[in-house]
Amino acid sequence: KENACSHERFAISGATDYWGATVVCGSPGEVANDFTLGRADAFDYMMDFRNEFNRNIGSLNQYYIPYKHTVWANVILHSEDQLRQRVAWALYQILPIGGDLSLSTSGQGQTTEPWLIYYDIFVRNAFGNFRNVLQEIAYNPIMGRWLSFTDNKSLQYGLGKGWQPSYPDENFAREVMQLFSIGILQLDVDSTQLLNEQGEVIPTYLNDDIQNFARAWTGFRARLNERGNMMGGGTTHGDPMY
């Protein structure tokens, strides 16, 4: 159906007839837009700002980046749950993505909403189970873009399509162990390194483990952007991959 959010005149006039359109809100805690409250956006102003900014800076990507920082700073400075916000920030230091990650092939994909949806994983799970955090980031489409396992294909799949032999991307498979969870060396409860009988450090995983993990992280795809209130192009970078 046609998206009511795209009809500016509704927001201005306060009309309640949305031509039968459906306003879909899919983010956790998100509420529907109420056009009867009047116009709430500054689209024209921001377009003027963008044009002026690009004349001076010459980079549309740099234009998008401050948005997410502004929203984030406003939330953490005024939230009453300061402990949750601090834990969320600490978790993000362990499981980061690039703040300048482009989500579109045109290079104009520094959209704010998908990045904030990713950060909210840590806010929601600040006092929860770390396993749930890992699961959510593993299904998150911008993590899939950042560590290049979106649309990852198995060797067998490629051969079946008649492609040149190509093994699955091992980027996320490695980092989920090395950086996000168990690290590279086995440790004792006091964080000292464990040693084998020869006095050598013991690795937590081997190349075989990376290859097996890479096989598991194949077939993930971003969902089509079927709702009009999500920033982005043909795919949504807010909903979990499938």
Side-chain angles (χ1 to χ4, degrees), residues 164-190:
Q164 292 292 323
S166 177
Y167 290 96
D169 187 282
E170 299 177 354
N171 202 0
F172 182 77
R174 180 184 301 103
E175 306 303 356
V176 73
M177 294 186 286
Q178 178 178 337
L179 299 181
F180 297 165
S181 57
I182 59 177
I184 60 175
L185 298 175
Q186 294 187 28
L187 303 177
D188 207 340
V189 291
D190 61 356

mmCIF file of all heavy atoms in Angstrom, residues 164-190:
data_model
loop_
_atom_site.group_PDB
_atom_site.id
_atom_site.type_symbol
_atom_site.label_atom_id
_atom_site.label_comp_id
_atom_site.label_asym_id
_atom_site.label_seq_id
_atom_site.Cartn_x
_atom_site.Cartn_y
_atom_site.Cartn_z
ATOM 1 N N GLN A 164 33.028 -20.156 -10.341
ATOM 2 C CA GLN A 164 34.381 -20.545 -9.978
ATOM 3 C C GLN A 164 34.410 -20.899 -8.487
ATOM 4 O O GLN A 164 33.712 -20.290 -7.681
ATOM 5 C CB GLN A 164 35.363 -19.404 -10.267
ATOM 6 C CG GLN A 164 35.567 -19.106 -11.742
ATOM 7 C CD GLN A 164 36.279 -20.245 -12.446
ATOM 8 O OE1 GLN A 164 37.171 -20.883 -11.881
ATOM 9 N NE2 GLN A 164 35.887 -20.499 -13.688
ATOM 10 N N PRO A 165 35.216 -21.916 -8.107
ATOM 11 C CA PRO A 165 35.263 -22.311 -6.690
ATOM 12 C C PRO A 165 35.619 -21.129 -5.787
ATOM 13 O O PRO A 165 36.593 -20.418 -6.027
ATOM 14 C CB PRO A 165 36.363 -23.385 -6.662
ATOM 15 C CG PRO A 165 36.401 -23.933 -8.055
ATOM 16 C CD PRO A 165 36.079 -22.767 -8.954
ATOM 17 N N SER A 166 34.799 -20.911 -4.751
ATOM 18 C CA SER A 166 35.019 -19.815 -3.817
ATOM 19 C C SER A 166 34.517 -20.242 -2.448
ATOM 20 O O SER A 166 33.363 -20.654 -2.308
ATOM 21 C CB SER A 166 34.275 -18.555 -4.286
ATOM 22 O OG SER A 166 34.431 -17.512 -3.347
ATOM 23 N N TYR A 167 35.380 -20.145 -1.458
ATOM 24 C CA TYR A 167 35.009 -20.550 -0.105
ATOM 25 C C TYR A 167 34.251 -19.424 0.595
ATOM 26 O O TYR A 167 34.414 -18.249 0.247
ATOM 27 C CB TYR A 167 36.253 -20.940 0.691
ATOM 28 C CG TYR A 167 36.888 -22.226 0.219
ATOM 29 C CD1 TYR A 167 37.961 -22.206 -0.671
ATOM 30 C CD2 TYR A 167 36.406 -23.458 0.645
ATOM 31 C CE1 TYR A 167 38.534 -23.382 -1.120
ATOM 32 C CE2 TYR A 167 36.973 -24.638 0.208
ATOM 33 C CZ TYR A 167 38.043 -24.596 -0.674
ATOM 34 O OH TYR A 167 38.598 -25.765 -1.125
ATOM 35 N N PRO A 168 33.449 -19.750 1.594
ATOM 36 C CA PRO A 168 32.694 -18.716 2.309
ATOM 37 C C PRO A 168 33.617 -17.693 2.969
ATOM 38 O O PRO A 168 34.726 -18.016 3.396
ATOM 39 C CB PRO A 168 31.912 -19.509 3.364
ATOM 40 C CG PRO A 168 31.862 -20.908 2.852
ATOM 41 C CD PRO A 168 33.121 -21.101 2.078
ATOM 42 N N ASP A 169 33.146 -16.470 3.041
ATOM 43 C CA ASP A 169 33.896 -15.408 3.710
ATOM 44 C C ASP A 169 34.086 -15.766 5.184
ATOM 45 O O ASP A 169 33.152 -16.182 5.862
ATOM 46 C CB ASP A 169 33.123 -14.090 3.587
ATOM 47 C CG ASP A 169 33.911 -12.907 4.106
ATOM 48 O OD1 ASP A 169 33.971 -12.732 5.339
ATOM 49 O OD2 ASP A 169 34.464 -12.168 3.283
ATOM 50 N N GLU A 170 35.306 -15.596 5.697
ATOM 51 C CA GLU A 170 35.637 -16.002 7.066
ATOM 52 C C GLU A 170 35.771 -14.829 8.022
ATOM 53 O O GLU A 170 36.196 -15.000 9.175
ATOM 54 C CB GLU A 170 36.944 -16.810 7.062
ATOM 55 C CG GLU A 170 36.865 -18.089 6.251
ATOM 56 C CD GLU A 170 38.195 -18.836 6.190
ATOM 57 O OE1 GLU A 170 39.199 -18.285 6.700
ATOM 58 O OE2 GLU A 170 38.233 -19.949 5.642
ATOM 59 N N ASN A 171 35.394 -13.645 7.576
ATOM 60 C CA ASN A 171 35.613 -12.450 8.384
ATOM 61 C C ASN A 171 34.864 -12.516 9.721
ATOM 62 O O ASN A 171 35.466 -12.457 10.794
ATOM 63 C CB ASN A 171 35.176 -11.218 7.588
ATOM 64 C CG ASN A 171 35.837 -9.953 8.079
ATOM 65 O OD1 ASN A 171 36.633 -9.969 9.011
ATOM 66 N ND2 ASN A 171 35.498 -8.840 7.453
ATOM 67 N N PHE A 172 33.556 -12.634 9.671
ATOM 68 C CA PHE A 172 32.771 -12.684 10.899
ATOM 69 C C PHE A 172 33.065 -13.954 11.686
ATOM 70 O O PHE A 172 33.109 -13.924 12.929
ATOM 71 C CB PHE A 172 31.277 -12.599 10.577
ATOM 72 C CG PHE A 172 30.400 -12.588 11.796
ATOM 73 C CD1 PHE A 172 30.263 -11.440 12.563
ATOM 74 C CD2 PHE A 172 29.714 -13.724 12.192
ATOM 75 C CE1 PHE A 172 29.455 -11.426 13.689
ATOM 76 C CE2 PHE A 172 28.909 -13.720 13.322
ATOM 77 C CZ PHE A 172 28.778 -12.567 14.068
ATOM 78 N N ALA A 173 33.258 -15.066 10.982
ATOM 79 C CA ALA A 173 33.548 -16.332 11.656
ATOM 80 C C ALA A 173 34.769 -16.220 12.550
ATOM 81 O O ALA A 173 34.832 -16.817 13.634
ATOM 82 C CB ALA A 173 33.750 -17.433 10.619
ATOM 83 N N ARG A 174 35.747 -15.455 12.134
ATOM 84 C CA ARG A 174 36.957 -15.256 12.934
ATOM 85 C C ARG A 174 36.734 -14.246 14.047
ATOM 86 O O ARG A 174 37.095 -14.476 15.199
ATOM 87 C CB ARG A 174 38.109 -14.791 12.029
ATOM 88 C CG ARG A 174 39.421 -14.540 12.760
ATOM 89 C CD ARG A 174 40.477 -13.994 11.829
ATOM 90 N NE ARG A 174 40.741 -14.898 10.723
ATOM 91 C CZ ARG A 174 40.283 -14.716 9.475
ATOM 92 N NH1 ARG A 174 39.535 -13.646 9.196
ATOM 93 N NH2 ARG A 174 40.548 -15.573 8.521
ATOM 94 N N GLU A 175 36.115 -13.119 13.698
ATOM 95 C CA GLU A 175 35.994 -12.036 14.674
ATOM 96 C C GLU A 175 35.036 -12.380 15.807
ATOM 97 O O GLU A 175 35.208 -11.886 16.927
ATOM 98 C CB GLU A 175 35.549 -10.744 13.976
ATOM 99 C CG GLU A 175 36.412 -10.296 12.804
ATOM 100 C CD GLU A 175 37.874 -10.090 13.169
ATOM 101 O OE1 GLU A 175 38.232 -10.210 14.340
ATOM 102 O OE2 GLU A 175 38.665 -9.793 12.264
ATOM 103 N N VAL A 176 34.009 -13.197 15.529
ATOM 104 C CA VAL A 176 33.068 -13.534 16.592
ATOM 105 C C VAL A 176 33.756 -14.319 17.698
ATOM 106 O O VAL A 176 33.337 -14.288 18.866
ATOM 107 C CB VAL A 176 31.859 -14.328 16.029
ATOM 108 C CG1 VAL A 176 32.247 -15.749 15.676
ATOM 109 C CG2 VAL A 176 30.691 -14.313 17.017
ATOM 110 N N MET A 177 34.854 -14.998 17.374
ATOM 111 C CA MET A 177 35.639 -15.680 18.400
ATOM 112 C C MET A 177 36.782 -14.803 18.906
ATOM 113 O O MET A 177 36.957 -14.630 20.114
ATOM 114 C CB MET A 177 36.202 -16.997 17.825
ATOM 115 C CG MET A 177 35.138 -18.025 17.493
ATOM 116 S SD MET A 177 35.812 -19.619 16.983
ATOM 117 C CE MET A 177 36.385 -19.236 15.328
ATOM 118 N N GLN A 178 37.539 -14.244 17.980
ATOM 119 C CA GLN A 178 38.756 -13.512 18.366
ATOM 120 C C GLN A 178 38.450 -12.230 19.130
ATOM 121 O O GLN A 178 39.071 -11.949 20.164
ATOM 122 C CB GLN A 178 39.571 -13.193 17.126
ATOM 123 C CG GLN A 178 40.833 -12.385 17.406
ATOM 124 C CD GLN A 178 41.642 -12.134 16.143
ATOM 125 O OE1 GLN A 178 41.532 -12.868 15.161
ATOM 126 N NE2 GLN A 178 42.450 -11.096 16.140
ATOM 127 N N LEU A 179 37.517 -11.434 18.627
ATOM 128 C CA LEU A 179 37.260 -10.119 19.211
ATOM 129 C C LEU A 179 36.007 -10.063 20.079
ATOM 130 O O LEU A 179 35.958 -9.292 21.043
ATOM 131 C CB LEU A 179 37.127 -9.082 18.094
ATOM 132 C CG LEU A 179 38.340 -8.880 17.191
ATOM 133 C CD1 LEU A 179 38.054 -7.806 16.155
ATOM 134 C CD2 LEU A 179 39.570 -8.519 18.018
ATOM 135 N N PHE A 180 34.997 -10.859 19.745
ATOM 136 C CA PHE A 180 33.699 -10.696 20.384
ATOM 137 C C PHE A 180 33.441 -11.648 21.545
ATOM 138 O O PHE A 180 32.487 -11.451 22.292
ATOM 139 C CB PHE A 180 32.582 -10.882 19.351
ATOM 140 C CG PHE A 180 32.587 -9.863 18.246
ATOM 141 C CD1 PHE A 180 31.850 -10.079 17.087
ATOM 142 C CD2 PHE A 180 33.308 -8.690 18.353
ATOM 143 C CE1 PHE A 180 31.843 -9.142 16.071
ATOM 144 C CE2 PHE A 180 33.308 -7.747 17.339
ATOM 145 C CZ PHE A 180 32.580 -7.978 16.192
ATOM 146 N N SER A 181 34.262 -12.697 21.693
ATOM 147 C CA SER A 181 33.911 -13.668 22.744
ATOM 148 C C SER A 181 35.137 -14.288 23.408
ATOM 149 O O SER A 181 35.649 -13.757 24.397
ATOM 150 C CB SER A 181 32.981 -14.748 22.190
ATOM 151 O OG SER A 181 33.573 -15.418 21.088
ATOM 152 N N ILE A 182 35.673 -15.383 22.869
ATOM 153 C CA ILE A 182 36.645 -16.195 23.614
ATOM 154 C C ILE A 182 38.083 -15.731 23.474
ATOM 155 O O ILE A 182 38.950 -16.180 24.232
ATOM 156 C CB ILE A 182 36.540 -17.680 23.196
ATOM 157 C CG1 ILE A 182 36.803 -17.836 21.705
ATOM 158 C CG2 ILE A 182 35.178 -18.236 23.568
ATOM 159 C CD1 ILE A 182 36.776 -19.287 21.231
ATOM 160 N N GLY A 183 38.381 -14.841 22.539
ATOM 161 C CA GLY A 183 39.764 -14.401 22.363
ATOM 162 C C GLY A 183 40.616 -15.457 21.682
ATOM 163 O O GLY A 183 40.128 -16.508 21.253
ATOM 164 N N ILE A 184 41.926 -15.223 21.594
ATOM 165 C CA ILE A 184 42.795 -16.126 20.835
ATOM 166 C C ILE A 184 43.529 -17.141 21.706
ATOM 167 O O ILE A 184 44.038 -18.140 21.205
ATOM 168 C CB ILE A 184 43.809 -15.328 19.995
ATOM 169 C CG1 ILE A 184 44.687 -14.449 20.889
ATOM 170 C CG2 ILE A 184 43.094 -14.481 18.950
ATOM 171 C CD1 ILE A 184 45.791 -13.723 20.143
ATOM 172 N N LEU A 185 43.606 -16.882 23.019
ATOM 173 C CA LEU A 185 44.347 -17.782 23.909
ATOM 174 C C LEU A 185 43.469 -18.194 25.085
ATOM 175 O O LEU A 185 42.689 -17.397 25.613
ATOM 176 C CB LEU A 185 45.617 -17.097 24.440
ATOM 177 C CG LEU A 185 46.661 -16.684 23.406
ATOM 178 C CD1 LEU A 185 47.796 -15.923 24.073
ATOM 179 C CD2 LEU A 185 47.203 -17.897 22.657
ATOM 180 N N GLN A 186 43.606 -19.458 25.502
ATOM 181 C CA GLN A 186 42.866 -19.942 26.658
ATOM 182 C C GLN A 186 43.437 -19.328 27.940
ATOM 183 O O GLN A 186 44.658 -19.248 28.116
ATOM 184 C CB GLN A 186 42.937 -21.462 26.736
ATOM 185 C CG GLN A 186 42.227 -22.177 25.598
ATOM 186 C CD GLN A 186 42.171 -23.678 25.810
ATOM 187 O OE1 GLN A 186 42.179 -24.153 26.942
ATOM 188 N NE2 GLN A 186 42.113 -24.422 24.715
ATOM 189 N N LEU A 187 42.535 -18.897 28.816
ATOM 190 C CA LEU A 187 42.929 -18.224 30.053
ATOM 191 C C LEU A 187 42.383 -18.971 31.262
ATOM 192 O O LEU A 187 41.349 -19.640 31.186
ATOM 193 C CB LEU A 187 42.409 -16.787 30.070
ATOM 194 C CG LEU A 187 42.820 -15.876 28.907
ATOM 195 C CD1 LEU A 187 42.172 -14.513 29.047
ATOM 196 C CD2 LEU A 187 44.334 -15.753 28.814
ATOM 197 N N ASP A 188 43.076 -18.808 32.377
ATOM 198 C CA ASP A 188 42.595 -19.347 33.643
ATOM 199 C C ASP A 188 41.577 -18.374 34.236
ATOM 200 O O ASP A 188 41.338 -17.295 33.688
ATOM 201 C CB ASP A 188 43.773 -19.552 34.600
ATOM 202 C CG ASP A 188 43.507 -20.648 35.620
ATOM 203 O OD1 ASP A 188 42.318 -20.973 35.838
ATOM 204 O OD2 ASP A 188 44.476 -21.180 36.196
ATOM 205 N N VAL A 189 40.970 -18.736 35.365
ATOM 206 C CA VAL A 189 39.951 -17.894 35.972
ATOM 207 C C VAL A 189 40.512 -16.547 36.427
ATOM 208 O O VAL A 189 39.762 -15.575 36.579
ATOM 209 C CB VAL A 189 39.278 -18.617 37.157
ATOM 210 C CG1 VAL A 189 38.436 -19.779 36.671
ATOM 211 C CG2 VAL A 189 40.312 -19.079 38.168
ATOM 212 N N ASP A 190 41.816 -16.472 36.638
ATOM 213 C CA ASP A 190 42.438 -15.206 37.034
ATOM 214 C C ASP A 190 43.026 -14.463 35.839
ATOM 215 O O ASP A 190 43.819 -13.526 35.998
ATOM 216 C CB ASP A 190 43.522 -15.443 38.085
ATOM 217 C CG ASP A 190 44.649 -16.334 37.574
ATOM 218 O OD1 ASP A 190 44.544 -16.838 36.427
ATOM 219 O OD2 ASP A 190 45.635 -16.540 38.313
#
